[in-house]
Amino acid sequence: MKIIFYMVCVLPLCAFAELKKSPIHYDVVVGDDLQSIEVSSCFHGALPSTLSANDAVGSFVSNVRFKNGRTLAVEVDRVNLPATQTSRCVLYDVLLKPRNRGEQRGGAETRVIDDRDMLTSIGDWLLRPDADPEYQQFYITFVMPKGVHVSAPWTRVSATSFVGMNTPVEWEGIVAFLNRAPNRININGSDFEISILGDFHRATSADMNHWVGRSAEGISALMGFFPRRQVQVIISPSDRTNSTVPWAYITRGGGAGIHLFVKRDANLEQLLWDFSLPHEMSHFMFPHIDSGDYWLIEGLPTYLQHLSM
Ligand SMILES: [Zn+2]
């Protein structure tokens, strides 16, 4: 009986408590094409003076307006909000322009994977206030087309809702819309949510879980624990070269994220021999270092990846 009480009453209350204390609520409706998005952002405290994203946002975002109808201009990477406004909600439309040619070389990018799944860089479409204490946390909920799942770097509350920490706007992050449900594993108390985009010929999703788990155990063994409690892992296929993981990078926007491009016909043994995932994971043993000193930023993870394997 007691257990039933906790399940029925306490869990929804927890979610509601998280929801109530978030100063920003986003509602995001994703269209069937996974490119057209309608965003509503409502503020429970003072209206911020600006909402920002990256400097390409003006080519994806349109029709920015207050709920009462007053329109707002996008200025390069930001929208200025007039202080006199009484409306608490800013609405806008997004039409993403995903890349689908060539292969990714840099950080977070909006891109179609195998004509089916969608990677989005949050900087392309999510307008946010600067990360100051007043707007530290937000609650975001997605309305997805039937059968489409969402992966985000924030803390999951339900299949389509998250509580996020408002990290600096210039920190990259990924939200992915995908046709298969993410997998979750826990290693030494840290949660890894693994989203597999596109098709792989040999490695199964159980193989991918095993690979992530083994790499996380190796990194945990160096410190006694994994350096982050929660990690978003995204795996997408690559046809580019013969190396097992031709490209990978981490993101810190909203939380820890790792995006790996894996050779489409890689098998589990090749994955377990590859150093890329332990390397990316070991980046999280250090804070974000904003510097051109790559000997420091890359040298330490390159050393640690070998110790962990
Ligand atoms: Zn690195």
Side-chain angles (χ1 to χ4, degrees), residues 248-250 276 279-280 282-283 297-299 301-302 305:
Y249 61 92
I250 63 159
S276 307
H279 174 95
E280 299 306 332
S282 67
H283 273 293
I297 300 166
E298 291 300 335
T302 304
Q305 79 199 25

